[in-house]
């Protein structure tokens, strides 16, 4: 007779499913099964929390179960990074005339730099500098940043058009080349906004286990 937490028998052996914190119950059960010839497999209960990646790994020779880890390791990372590099080089080559035209229009219609730089969080929550075509007369990057609104008075003469068509995001392909961003991934937010969202949304910081992207599910 097996306890209720022995989920099922199989021709290969006995499969156990126990909460990860049930150390005493595990040891007691293993001790009770010593008088059998069955192979025993332990299936850890890793679904007690919201997970983004589960895999078996080893740390210092000790087997561990990774429950909050990036999916982009080993070959997956090579494929992800290689795809980003090839596509960003191709896209930048194709849109280079458009980039020059937009830069010229920005300089012609308002004083100030062509590129707007802002601190945002990247992979593992490390700060990166994200590039955008400047669409406003201000260069906000402090502890408090006012969210852009419809008919915002800070917009330049072509700012609304650039933001509405997402053309202001095109310089971020250079961020992809530098390795700070990916073409596809969760959109990075300004550091000031990020600090607000992490207090309001449970598990918000888990989005930083993958590189931020130019486009993602929201887009």
């Amino acid at each position: 007779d097996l306890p209720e937490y022995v989920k099922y028998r199989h021709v290969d052996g006995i499969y156990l499913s126990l909460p990860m914190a049930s150390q005493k119950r595990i040891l007691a059960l293993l001790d009770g099964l010593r008088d059998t010839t069955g192979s025993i497999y332990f299936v850890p209960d890793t679904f007690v929390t919201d997970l983004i990646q589960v895999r078996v790994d080893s740390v210092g020779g000790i087997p561990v179960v990774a429950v909050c880890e990036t999916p982009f390791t080993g070959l997956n990372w090579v494929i992800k990074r290689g795809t980003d590099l090839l596509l960003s080089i191709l896209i930048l080559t194709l849109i280079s005339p458009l980039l020059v035209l937009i830069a010229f229009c920005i300089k012609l219609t308002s004083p100030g730099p062509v590129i707007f730089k802002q601190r945002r969080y990247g992979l593992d929550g490390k700060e990166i500098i994200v590039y955008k075509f400047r669409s406003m007369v201000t260069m906000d990057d402090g502890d408090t940043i006012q969210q852009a609104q419809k008919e915002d008075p800070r917009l330049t003469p072509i700012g609304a058009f650039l933001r509405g068509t997402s053309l202001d995001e095109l310089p971020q392909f250079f961020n992809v080349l530098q390795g700070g961003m990916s073409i596809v991934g969760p959109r990075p937010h300004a550091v000031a906004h990020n600090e607000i969202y992490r207090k309001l949304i449970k598990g918000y910081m888990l989005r930083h286990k993958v590189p931020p992207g130019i486009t993602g599910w929201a887009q």
Side-chain angles (χ1 to χ4, degrees):
D1 294 332
L2 296 176
E4 76 281 356
Y5 44 79
V6 176
K7 289 300 185 183
Y8 56 90
R9 296 173 183 264
H10 190 269
V11 67
D12 294 329
I14 300 171
Y15 288 75
L16 313 179
S17 180
L18 289 163
M20 296 180 72
S22 303
Q23 181 178 355
K24 291 183 178 180
R25 295 174 68 188
I26 294 172
L27 293 176
L29 182 58
L30 291 177
D31 188 62
L33 291 171
R34 291 182 188 276
D35 192 34
T36 73
T37 59
S39 299
I40 302 170
Y41 301 88
F42 175 51
V43 183
D45 181 9
T46 58
F47 298 99
V48 295
T49 183
D50 293 330
L51 308 177
I52 63 169
Q53 174 76 0
V54 179
R55 61 182 174 86
V56 178
D57 207 337
S58 176
V59 177
I62 301 174
V64 296
V65 178
V67 295
C68 289
E69 182 59 280
T70 177
F72 297 120
T73 57
L75 183 60
N76 286 339
W77 174 249
V78 173
I79 295 174
K80 176 75 167 175
R81 183 64 185 141
T83 302
D84 280 338
L85 281 173
L86 290 175
L87 288 179
S88 58
I89 291 173
L90 176 61
I91 291 171
L92 283 171
T93 301
L94 294 174
I95 68 173
S96 56
L98 179 60
L99 297 179
V100 173
L101 177 61
I102 294 175
F104 176 76
C105 291
I106 292 173
K107 292 298 291 184
L108 190 65
T109 56
S110 64
V114 169
I115 299 297
F116 167 53
K117 301 177 183 179
Q118 191 176 65
R119 293 175 302 117
R120 302 191 179 188
Y121 284 149
L123 183 64
D124 291 329
K126 297 177 181 178
E127 282 192 11
I128 59 174
I129 302 297
V130 172
Y131 308 135
K132 297 181 67 174
F133 278 126
R134 183 174 58 86
S135 60
M136 293 188 172
V137 295
T138 59
M139 302 283 285
D140 298 341
D141 188 27
D143 295 333
T144 301
I145 298 177
Q146 181 182 345
Q147 194 73 268
Q149 303 175 7
K150 187 177 181 180
E151 298 181 359
D152 197 305
R154 297 172 297 167
L155 289 171
T156 64
I158 65 168
F161 172 76
L162 292 177
R163 297 177 72 90
T165 56
S166 295
L167 291 174
D168 61 325
E169 310 282 0
L170 293 182
Q172 287 169 29
F173 283 104
F174 288 104
N175 284 114
V176 176
L177 279 180
Q178 292 175 345
M181 292 181 63
S182 177
I183 293 177
V184 179
R187 285 293 299 158
H189 297 125
V191 169
H193 292 157
N194 220 84
E195 292 303 313
I196 295 174
Y197 299 151
R198 70 189 300 179
K199 295 181 177 68
L200 298 176
I201 303 173
K202 181 181 178 181
Y204 176 82
M205 292 303 289
L206 291 179
R207 74 200 310 268
H208 300 296
K209 297 306 293 181
V210 297
I214 296 176
T215 186
W217 280 117
Q219 285 69 41

